[in-house]
Amino acid sequence: MPETAVLIVAAGRGERAGAGISKQYRNLGGKPVLRWSAEAFLAHPDIRAVRCVIRGEDAEMYRASVGDMGLQDPVIGGATRQESVRNGLEALAASAPQYVLIHDAARPLVSGNAIGRVIGALDGADAAAPFLGVAYTLRRKCARGYETVPRENLFRAQTPQGFRFPAILEAHRAFAGTQATDDIEIAERAGLTIAPVQGEEMNLKLTTAEDFALAERLASSALSDVRTGTGIDAHGFTDGDHVWLCGVKIPHDAGLAGHSDADAGLHALTDAILGAISAADIGVHFPPSDVRWRKAPSHLFLQHAASLVRDLKGIISHVDVTIICERPKVAPYRDAMRARVAEILGIDLERVSVKATTTDGLGFTGRREGIAAQATATVRLPS
Ligand code: CTP
Ligand code: MG
């Protein structure tokens, strides 16, 4: 199999989509737009390496969106898409892959089948791209109103567009500074042979706010395997002057006994997330017998559980934690706890619920011997 590298161009400003932040970093169905296509390429067995082209000022958003995925270092783009692609190709020149696929970050819902068709077609051509026919009647404005444009022989070109690497690098160098809306246009000018393959309506391009609304529906149907997990934990009081609950330090006239920081809230939540993906329990991932976890801050456990969900290309849709104790009073810390859990998981605040209850003086929590916590997590995985 020829070595295939991928360039995802993500150095645009996304001005037509509005909403302030560049569209490639906006949230789509619980994941950044850029992450969707990066996942699709990484999952493809024929892809060797994935590299993004970004704006220098977006480095932090890039890191937050895909920094954990093991992509090659990003390349800085240019003022036009064409310049961005050329910068990316030049960066790949040293490793000289046989094939390169060039993809717009603005097409998050690209499928493995589409990727496979493009790579397959490069056997017999210098270039390949997904094409879709036109079903609508097309009208062009003219002096007397509108005229109908015959739609036979008209096609909509999508990405990824695939090329034999040396040929497209040379073509981009030769036509630098000219205007082209995609790389197939550059290939045409250079006289390369082009093979069309079947495109997909799902692989839509996010340009306007309306495109986002449609993509949001498609993204949510792509993550339709909804799972729920529950978790329970308890720790007894011991000498001390504070407790940790949901990642927040709360002054108290006792501490909580435990191997780590004894944060019952985060432990219950970690187990709930592990439960939702059927990944055993916190003790299996972080054995209490392991000295590495002695006094460990429990956000490490929760982050690990969240990373396992991401590895499955899933999202954490919602979490709900209930703290059970008579004292300390949880209410004054509830907002801080919610915010901290949202931060650790990297999800929106409105997807996190933290509640508290007493047990009316009953049981070990009622006797103020310790604190218990219970949690549920709802996870959505690819269908
Ligand atoms: N792109 C790029 N470098 C540029 C311009 C665009 O890498 N200088 C990328 C975009 O990030 C996008 C793809 O090329 O993934 C297609 O461009 P487009 O849809 O036009 O995106 P934007 O330029 O970001 O959007 P707009 O034109 O609305 O500002
Ligand atoms: Mg643009």
Tab-separated table of all heavy atoms in Angstrom, residues 176-211:
chain	number	residue	atom	x	y	z
A	176	ALA	N	1.596	29.020	-7.883
A	176	ALA	CA	1.510	29.851	-6.670
A	176	ALA	C	1.123	31.274	-7.060
A	176	ALA	O	1.584	31.784	-8.079
A	176	ALA	CB	2.851	29.843	-5.940
A	177	GLY	N	0.250	31.883	-6.273
A	177	GLY	CA	-0.120	33.276	-6.530
A	177	GLY	C	-1.279	33.431	-7.499
A	177	GLY	O	-1.838	34.505	-7.647
A	178	THR	N	-1.704	32.340	-8.158
A	178	THR	CA	-2.895	32.414	-9.019
A	178	THR	C	-4.118	32.124	-8.149
A	178	THR	O	-3.985	31.823	-6.967
A	178	THR	CB	-2.820	31.380	-10.161
A	178	THR	OG1	-2.790	30.074	-9.574
A	178	THR	CG2	-1.570	31.601	-11.014
A	179	GLN	N	-5.295	32.193	-8.720
A	179	GLN	CA	-6.519	31.940	-7.961
A	179	GLN	C	-7.049	30.547	-8.259
A	179	GLN	O	-7.211	30.205	-9.423
A	179	GLN	CB	-7.607	32.933	-8.401
A	179	GLN	CG	-7.329	34.380	-8.042
A	179	GLN	CD	-7.722	34.644	-6.599
A	179	GLN	OE1	-8.663	34.049	-6.107
A	179	GLN	NE2	-6.991	35.524	-5.934
A	180	ALA	N	-7.315	29.772	-7.224
A	180	ALA	CA	-7.965	28.471	-7.439
A	180	ALA	C	-8.787	28.163	-6.205
A	180	ALA	O	-8.356	28.431	-5.088
A	180	ALA	CB	-6.921	27.387	-7.663
A	181	THR	N	-9.991	27.612	-6.372
A	181	THR	CA	-10.815	27.363	-5.193
A	181	THR	C	-10.545	26.000	-4.570
A	181	THR	O	-10.880	25.777	-3.422
A	181	THR	CB	-12.330	27.483	-5.489
A	181	THR	OG1	-12.652	26.514	-6.476
A	181	THR	CG2	-12.687	28.866	-5.980
A	182	ASP	N	-9.977	25.088	-5.347
A	182	ASP	CA	-9.566	23.825	-4.729
A	182	ASP	C	-8.320	23.295	-5.432
A	182	ASP	O	-7.783	23.954	-6.340
A	182	ASP	CB	-10.718	22.809	-4.697
A	182	ASP	CG	-11.100	22.289	-6.076
A	182	ASP	OD1	-10.473	22.702	-7.075
A	182	ASP	OD2	-12.029	21.462	-6.159
A	183	ASP	N	-7.862	22.130	-5.010
A	183	ASP	CA	-6.577	21.632	-5.511
A	183	ASP	C	-6.733	20.870	-6.818
A	183	ASP	O	-5.786	20.746	-7.587
A	183	ASP	CB	-5.925	20.780	-4.414
A	183	ASP	CG	-5.860	21.596	-3.138
A	183	ASP	OD1	-5.124	22.580	-3.109
A	183	ASP	OD2	-6.630	21.278	-2.191
A	184	ILE	N	-7.961	20.390	-7.077
A	184	ILE	CA	-8.217	19.750	-8.366
A	184	ILE	C	-8.044	20.794	-9.487
A	184	ILE	O	-7.547	20.485	-10.567
A	184	ILE	CB	-9.639	19.128	-8.373
A	184	ILE	CG1	-9.652	17.852	-7.504
A	184	ILE	CG2	-10.112	18.827	-9.780
A	184	ILE	CD1	-8.840	16.684	-8.035
A	185	GLU	N	-8.419	22.032	-9.210
A	185	GLU	CA	-8.262	23.085	-10.213
A	185	GLU	C	-6.770	23.291	-10.538
A	185	GLU	O	-6.393	23.473	-11.699
A	185	GLU	CB	-8.891	24.390	-9.697
A	185	GLU	CG	-8.993	25.438	-10.768
A	185	GLU	CD	-9.721	26.711	-10.319
A	185	GLU	OE1	-10.444	26.678	-9.294
A	185	GLU	OE2	-9.546	27.732	-11.000
A	186	ILE	N	-5.949	23.247	-9.517
A	186	ILE	CA	-4.491	23.367	-9.722
A	186	ILE	C	-3.987	22.163	-10.542
A	186	ILE	O	-3.188	22.305	-11.461
A	186	ILE	CB	-3.761	23.404	-8.350
A	186	ILE	CG1	-4.227	24.592	-7.516
A	186	ILE	CG2	-2.248	23.367	-8.518
A	186	ILE	CD1	-3.562	25.895	-7.822
A	187	ALA	N	-4.513	20.986	-10.191
A	187	ALA	CA	-4.090	19.765	-10.888
A	187	ALA	C	-4.474	19.835	-12.370
A	187	ALA	O	-3.699	19.433	-13.248
A	187	ALA	CB	-4.727	18.548	-10.225
A	188	GLU	N	-5.683	20.347	-12.635
A	188	GLU	CA	-6.137	20.483	-14.027
A	188	GLU	C	-5.189	21.367	-14.829
A	188	GLU	O	-4.786	21.038	-15.938
A	188	GLU	CB	-7.520	21.149	-14.064
A	188	GLU	CG	-8.649	20.166	-13.994
A	188	GLU	CD	-9.926	20.807	-13.456
A	188	GLU	OE1	-9.978	22.045	-13.275
A	188	GLU	OE2	-10.861	20.033	-13.178
A	189	ARG	N	-4.850	22.503	-14.232
A	189	ARG	CA	-3.963	23.442	-14.934
A	189	ARG	C	-2.622	22.811	-15.237
A	189	ARG	O	-2.000	23.115	-16.239
A	189	ARG	CB	-3.725	24.675	-14.073
A	189	ARG	CG	-4.907	25.596	-14.082
A	189	ARG	CD	-4.497	26.883	-13.418
A	189	ARG	NE	-5.656	27.468	-12.788
A	189	ARG	CZ	-5.618	28.330	-11.793
A	189	ARG	NH1	-4.467	28.722	-11.297
A	189	ARG	NH2	-6.729	28.812	-11.300
A	190	ALA	N	-2.194	21.933	-14.324
A	190	ALA	CA	-0.883	21.299	-14.522
A	190	ALA	C	-0.978	20.103	-15.464
A	190	ALA	O	0.021	19.435	-15.723
A	190	ALA	CB	-0.313	20.881	-13.173
A	191	GLY	N	-2.187	19.824	-15.955
A	191	GLY	CA	-2.350	18.721	-16.908
A	191	GLY	C	-2.339	17.347	-16.268
A	191	GLY	O	-2.096	16.341	-16.941
A	192	LEU	N	-2.612	17.258	-14.960
A	192	LEU	CA	-2.630	15.949	-14.296
A	192	LEU	C	-3.918	15.210	-14.655
A	192	LEU	O	-4.950	15.838	-14.935
A	192	LEU	CB	-2.543	16.123	-12.776
A	192	LEU	CG	-1.344	16.906	-12.237
A	192	LEU	CD1	-1.330	16.891	-10.709
A	192	LEU	CD2	-0.038	16.318	-12.766
A	193	THR	N	-3.875	13.878	-14.607
A	193	THR	CA	-5.095	13.102	-14.862
A	193	THR	C	-5.933	13.049	-13.587
A	193	THR	O	-5.396	12.887	-12.482
A	193	THR	CB	-4.767	11.668	-15.310
A	193	THR	OG1	-3.891	11.088	-14.329
A	193	THR	CG2	-4.087	11.669	-16.661
A	194	ILE	N	-7.245	13.185	-13.752
A	194	ILE	CA	-8.130	13.295	-12.589
A	194	ILE	C	-9.211	12.231	-12.643
A	194	ILE	O	-9.905	12.089	-13.652
A	194	ILE	CB	-8.768	14.702	-12.553
A	194	ILE	CG1	-7.659	15.729	-12.315
A	194	ILE	CG2	-9.834	14.793	-11.453
A	194	ILE	CD1	-8.021	17.117	-12.715
A	195	ALA	N	-9.355	11.488	-11.550
A	195	ALA	CA	-10.395	10.460	-11.473
A	195	ALA	C	-11.484	10.913	-10.501
A	195	ALA	O	-11.192	11.148	-9.325
A	195	ALA	CB	-9.782	9.153	-10.986
A	196	PRO	N	-12.715	11.068	-10.989
A	196	PRO	CA	-13.794	11.381	-10.049
A	196	PRO	C	-14.229	10.117	-9.313
A	196	PRO	O	-14.241	9.036	-9.910
A	196	PRO	CB	-14.915	11.888	-10.958
A	196	PRO	CG	-14.640	11.312	-12.297
A	196	PRO	CD	-13.180	10.954	-12.373
A	197	VAL	N	-14.553	10.243	-8.021
A	197	VAL	CA	-15.161	9.117	-7.295
A	197	VAL	C	-16.476	9.620	-6.695
A	197	VAL	O	-16.733	10.828	-6.660
A	197	VAL	CB	-14.243	8.557	-6.177
A	197	VAL	CG1	-12.918	8.093	-6.755
A	197	VAL	CG2	-14.014	9.571	-5.066
A	198	GLN	N	-17.288	8.687	-6.220
A	198	GLN	CA	-18.606	9.057	-5.690
A	198	GLN	C	-18.468	9.892	-4.406
A	198	GLN	O	-17.792	9.484	-3.469
A	198	GLN	CB	-19.403	7.770	-5.390
A	198	GLN	CG	-20.802	8.002	-4.908
A	198	GLN	CD	-21.651	8.745	-5.926
A	198	GLN	OE1	-21.642	8.419	-7.114
A	198	GLN	NE2	-22.358	9.786	-5.466
A	199	GLY	N	-19.095	11.061	-4.389
A	199	GLY	CA	-19.116	11.885	-3.188
A	199	GLY	C	-20.275	11.499	-2.285
A	199	GLY	O	-21.035	10.580	-2.590
A	200	GLU	N	-20.417	12.185	-1.163
A	200	GLU	CA	-21.484	11.867	-0.203
A	200	GLU	C	-22.160	13.149	0.287
A	200	GLU	O	-21.468	14.086	0.692
A	200	GLU	CB	-20.887	11.120	1.009
A	200	GLU	CG	-20.373	9.737	0.657
A	200	GLU	CD	-19.714	9.026	1.836
A	200	GLU	OE1	-19.432	9.682	2.863
A	200	GLU	OE2	-19.485	7.814	1.720
A	201	GLU	N	-23.490	13.146	0.301
A	201	GLU	CA	-24.225	14.329	0.787
A	201	GLU	C	-23.879	14.632	2.250
A	201	GLU	O	-23.816	15.783	2.659
A	201	GLU	CB	-25.744	14.129	0.661
A	201	GLU	CG	-26.266	14.034	-0.759
A	201	GLU	CD	-26.182	15.340	-1.554
A	201	GLU	OE1	-25.888	16.401	-0.960
A	201	GLU	OE2	-26.394	15.278	-2.785
A	202	MET	N	-23.636	13.555	3.028
A	202	MET	CA	-23.290	13.730	4.449
A	202	MET	C	-22.032	14.569	4.638
A	202	MET	O	-21.862	15.221	5.659
A	202	MET	CB	-23.012	12.350	5.079
A	202	MET	CG	-24.212	11.605	5.558
A	202	MET	SD	-24.777	12.174	7.168
A	202	MET	CE	-23.562	11.417	8.270
A	203	ASN	N	-21.146	14.518	3.663
A	203	ASN	CA	-19.851	15.195	3.771
A	203	ASN	C	-20.021	16.669	3.416
A	203	ASN	O	-19.345	17.202	2.549
A	203	ASN	CB	-18.848	14.495	2.850
A	203	ASN	CG	-17.438	15.043	2.983
A	203	ASN	OD1	-17.130	15.766	3.925
A	203	ASN	ND2	-16.596	14.711	2.025
A	204	LEU	N	-20.949	17.313	4.109
A	204	LEU	CA	-21.278	18.687	3.735
A	204	LEU	C	-20.215	19.670	4.214
A	204	LEU	O	-19.435	19.372	5.108
A	204	LEU	CB	-22.681	19.088	4.229
A	204	LEU	CG	-22.862	19.597	5.646
A	204	LEU	CD1	-24.301	20.022	5.868
A	204	LEU	CD2	-22.446	18.571	6.666
A	205	LYS	N	-20.193	20.819	3.556
A	205	LYS	CA	-19.204	21.847	3.886
A	205	LYS	C	-19.868	22.889	4.766
A	205	LYS	O	-20.904	23.443	4.416
A	205	LYS	CB	-18.721	22.474	2.575
A	205	LYS	CG	-18.053	23.805	2.710
A	205	LYS	CD	-16.557	23.695	2.454
A	205	LYS	CE	-15.885	25.041	2.577
A	205	LYS	NZ	-16.417	26.006	1.636
A	206	LEU	N	-19.244	23.163	5.901
A	206	LEU	CA	-19.775	24.175	6.813
A	206	LEU	C	-19.340	25.555	6.314
A	206	LEU	O	-18.163	25.891	6.390
A	206	LEU	CB	-19.222	23.959	8.214
A	206	LEU	CG	-19.606	22.659	8.906
A	206	LEU	CD1	-18.883	22.534	10.241
A	206	LEU	CD2	-21.107	22.605	9.124
A	207	THR	N	-20.296	26.296	5.796
A	207	THR	CA	-19.966	27.656	5.355
A	207	THR	C	-20.787	28.666	6.146
A	207	THR	O	-20.235	29.617	6.692
A	207	THR	CB	-20.223	27.820	3.838
A	207	THR	OG1	-19.490	26.821	3.137
A	207	THR	CG2	-19.758	29.194	3.359
A	208	THR	N	-22.097	28.445	6.227
A	208	THR	CA	-22.981	29.417	6.881
A	208	THR	C	-23.540	28.851	8.193
A	208	THR	O	-23.399	27.654	8.485
A	208	THR	CB	-24.179	29.737	5.967
A	208	THR	OG1	-24.926	28.522	5.803
A	208	THR	CG2	-23.719	30.238	4.604
A	209	ALA	N	-24.211	29.721	8.942
A	209	ALA	CA	-24.843	29.288	10.193
A	209	ALA	C	-25.861	28.179	9.916
A	209	ALA	O	-26.024	27.248	10.706
A	209	ALA	CB	-25.510	30.479	10.869
A	210	GLU	N	-26.529	28.240	8.770
A	210	GLU	CA	-27.526	27.225	8.429
A	210	GLU	C	-26.861	25.854	8.223
A	210	GLU	O	-27.416	24.824	8.599
A	210	GLU	CB	-28.262	27.666	7.160
A	210	GLU	CG	-29.587	26.979	6.990
A	210	GLU	CD	-30.330	27.468	5.757
A	210	GLU	OE1	-29.823	28.359	5.038
A	210	GLU	OE2	-31.423	26.937	5.522
A	211	ASP	N	-25.680	25.857	7.637
A	211	ASP	CA	-24.949	24.587	7.474
A	211	ASP	C	-24.666	23.958	8.838
A	211	ASP	O	-24.719	22.740	9.001
A	211	ASP	CB	-23.610	24.808	6.758
A	211	ASP	CG	-23.777	25.368	5.361
A	211	ASP	OD1	-24.797	25.070	4.730
A	211	ASP	OD2	-22.876	26.116	4.910
